[in-house]
Amino acid sequence: MKERIYVCHTFYHVYVACLKELFLPEEKRGQASLVLSTMSNNFGNLKERAKKCGLFEEVWMFEEKASDFFPQLRRYHTDRGNIVINMLARIKYTKLLGRLQEPYVPVDFKEYKDIYVFCDSDPIGYYLSYKKLYYHAVEDGLNCLESYDTARYDNRGHFALKAWMAAHNLIFIQNGYAKYCLDMEVNDISVLPYPIDKHIEQPREELTAHLSDADKDILIHLFIENMDELQKDLDTGAEDKVLVLSEPLCDLHVRKQIFTDIINEYGQIDGHKAQVLIKPHPRDVLDYKKEFPEHVVVNGMFPMEVMNFIPGLRFRRVVSVFTVPNAIRFAEEIVFLGEDFMDQYEEPALHRQNEQI
């Protein structure tokens, strides 16, 4: 039987998978498999680099399909106004989504001792539960449940009943509530508004603290395709530099206004204009080079945490809207804008999910 397999949906997921592998003794490295889901992220040629990095024995691409890909599932999305009838429909939906996913799964998960799934709310969670395969869930983003507990938000109303049904594999609920989810790894249990017994803590800082220079070099070369190009963008020669982390917020017109306002507000240091660099989120399709030609737009196809390992890199300020910046070590000042800021641009209910549970 093979050792470990990680199912990843984002660059950040792959980054954490790498940290977990680098935390192992050297003799145990290189025995894991990596699955890259294409459902919500374009990984470019990361597969080829992952094969060469020495951390993974096999790398697979997974053409995971969202539920709306299957027309036969549409009938189960109708609210029939009755909890019993709705739950009967959901039982059928849960099994069918898992079964329909099977032709697209590229690997036999039964061959692995440990299966790690980032964001098990995606169809892979339904598939593993349909196949009755035990797995470990891992939080989607750093402390992401602190502001948005998707399991409880998605299942508002009769949650206790739904959680019981998920525990008996009648329906599926993510983040530790599913029968075949052994546990869910989070960075910090203390920030969770609704912790459960299956939550286990593995601080990311603990995983990064022991990294050697060689380990950091592995991460840099795995995630950054053209280091020379990135270094050229970063080495602006400016004394004061501000990094703005973009995110796929609102529609494109409002998104442009959001980051225009951010740059106008935070793009100055001690009363004078700083050099502003923008790192687009990997799923952000706004053309920042076109919309912000006066600023430096760096390649965004890597997790921002990797910038911690670039020698000599330093920013006076990093600005983030929702991306949790706790892991940033390359900035003198960190500005986290959060929900109060976003209230100006969209209905608060769209981003204040935990307040609606």
Side-chain angles (χ1 to χ4, degrees), residues 213-226:
D213 289 342
D215 295 336
K216 295 174 183 178
D217 197 57
I218 288 173
L219 293 171
I220 289 173
H221 285 89
L222 169 59
F223 288 105
I224 301 177
E225 183 175 7
N226 190 331

Side-chain angles (χ1 to χ4, degrees), residues 11-277:
F11 287 102
Y12 176 77
H13 296 170
V14 181
Y15 169 72
V16 174
C18 290
L19 292 183
K20 291 175 69 64
E21 287 299 298
L22 289 167
F23 197 64
L24 296 171
E26 286 197 31
E27 64 270 17
K28 291 189 176 181
R29 297 180 186 178
Q31 300 175 29
S33 295
L34 179 68
V35 175
L36 302 175
S37 169
T38 61
M39 193 178 80
S40 57
N41 195 74
N42 176 15
F43 286 101
N45 61 7
L46 184 70
K47 177 183 177 181
E48 286 66 38
R49 299 198 301 279
K51 285 182 176 179
K52 298 175 183 177
C53 76
L55 297 180
F56 303 105
E57 189 174 29
E58 297 175 305
V59 182
W60 306 84
M61 300 304 294
F62 176 21
E63 300 296 327
E64 190 174 10
K65 303 301 181 185
S67 62
D68 58 9
F69 178 81
F70 305 104
Q72 56 267 56
L73 290 174
R74 292 173 189 159
R75 58 188 290 194
Y76 299 110
H77 289 293
T78 302
D79 183 358
R80 293 161 176 82
N82 181 290
I83 183 64
V84 175
I85 297 175
N86 282 345
M87 287 300 99
L88 289 173
R90 186 164 170 180
I91 290 171
K92 295 177 182 178
Y93 168 86
T94 298
K95 307 304 179 189
L96 185 55
L97 177 56
R99 181 169 63 81
L100 291 172
Q101 210 65 219
E102 191 160 16
Y104 304 96
V105 176
V107 62
D108 186 355
F109 285 101
K110 293 194 299 292
E111 295 181 353
Y112 292 87
K113 293 179 183 177
D114 288 296
I115 303 167
Y116 293 89
V117 178
F118 295 80
C119 199
D120 67 332
S121 60
D122 284 337
I124 183 61
Y126 290 78
Y127 171 76
L128 292 173
S129 292
Y130 164 71
K131 301 296 285 186
K132 300 180 179 179
L133 295 173
Y134 287 97
Y135 67 94
H136 308 276
V138 189
E139 66 179 1
D140 184 23
L142 187 67
N143 295 341
C144 61
L145 300 187
E146 180 179 10
S147 60
Y148 187 8
D149 188 320
T150 53
R152 286 184 174 266
Y153 179 81
D154 292 347
N155 294 279
R156 301 182 304 273
H158 306 283
F159 180 77
L161 169 64
K162 295 173 184 176
W164 181 90
M165 294 178 71
H168 290 78
N169 203 33
L170 296 171
I171 64 173
F172 181 82
I173 297 179
Q174 67 271 37
N175 296 350
Y177 291 94
K179 176 178 180 178
Y180 291 97
C181 178
L182 293 167
D183 47 52
M184 181 178 182
E185 181 181 304
V186 300
N187 173 65
D188 184 356
I189 288 179
S190 71
V191 305
L192 304 185
Y194 304 102
I196 61 175
D197 290 343
K198 284 189 182 181
H199 288 149
I200 60 173
E201 186 174 276
Q202 173 55 76
R204 301 294 170 247
E205 192 168 336
E206 180 180 311
L207 297 180
T208 57
H210 81 293
L211 292 174
S212 67
D213 289 342
D215 295 336
K216 295 174 183 178
D217 197 57
I218 288 173
L219 293 171
I220 289 173
H221 285 89
L222 169 59
F223 288 105
I224 301 177
E225 183 175 7
N226 190 331
M227 187 61 197
D228 290 339
E229 179 183 327
L230 178 62
Q231 199 73 59
K232 183 179 178 182
D233 288 338
L234 296 174
D235 293 340
T236 63
E239 182 178 347
D240 293 326
K241 292 187 289 189
V242 173
L243 178 65
V244 175
L245 302 174
S246 98
E247 297 177 56
L249 306 165
C250 307
D251 59 39
L252 293 181
H253 174 73
V254 177
R255 193 179 308 170
K256 178 185 175 183
Q257 187 60 54
I258 288 172
F259 288 99
T260 297
D261 294 345
I262 288 174
I263 291 170
N264 289 340
E265 178 70 21
Y266 297 101
Q268 298 188 34
I269 300 289
D270 298 332
H272 62 84
K273 284 189 177 181
Q275 172 68 69
V276 174
L277 294 88

